[in-house]
């Protein structure tokens, strides 16, 4: 376990980038993946507002993970950019 401020979280967390970038799973599968991680004991989920497929999806993971904030710490990075998309959208 590790302390982040006054909150204790597991030393191993879940990186959530694959839930929102190109090739991501559909919403139900993404939520099932998060549920499986929590059921396995994960207490920290790492994401960023720049993890998205298209430019109009900024904050995709934060919205996806919002329902889990009572079960795990959701850490999000901000201030980093990402080009609109590789597909030009």
């Amino acid at each position: 376990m590790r302390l982040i401020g006054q909150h204790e979280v597991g030393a191993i967390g879940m990186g959530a980038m694959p839930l929102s970038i190109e090739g991501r799973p559909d919403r139900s599968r993404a939520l099932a993946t998060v549920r499986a991680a929590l059921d396995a004991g994960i207490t920290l989920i790492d994401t960023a507002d720049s993890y998205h497929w298209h430019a109009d999806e900024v904050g995709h993971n934060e919205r996806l993970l919002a329902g889990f904030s009572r079960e795990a710490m959701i850490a999000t990075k901000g201030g980093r950019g990402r080009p609109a998309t590789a597909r030009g959208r």
Side-chain angles (χ1 to χ4, degrees):
M1 300 300 281
R2 304 285 191 267
L3 282 178
I4 297 180
Q6 297 178 358
H7 303 280
E8 191 173 61
V9 297
I12 297 175
M14 176 186 164
M17 183 173 72
L19 301 179
S20 62
I21 62 169
E22 298 82 357
R24 68 185 179 207
D26 64 34
R27 182 176 176 79
S28 64
R29 187 168 186 151
L31 294 173
T33 299
V34 175
R35 172 56 45 213
L38 295 172
D39 290 348
I42 292 295
T43 57
L44 174 67
I45 302 174
D46 174 65
T47 189
D49 64 359
S50 61
Y51 296 165
H52 53 80
W53 192 344
H54 305 292
D56 60 347
E57 295 183 320
V58 172
H60 175 271
N61 265 7
E62 287 77 3
R63 288 186 300 278
L64 182 72
L65 299 169
F68 298 103
S69 63
R70 292 184 183 265
E71 299 177 70
M73 177 178 282
I74 311 295
T76 186
K77 299 172 283 296
R80 57 186 301 265
R82 179 175 178 189
T85 70
R87 296 178 185 224
R89 284 184 67 183

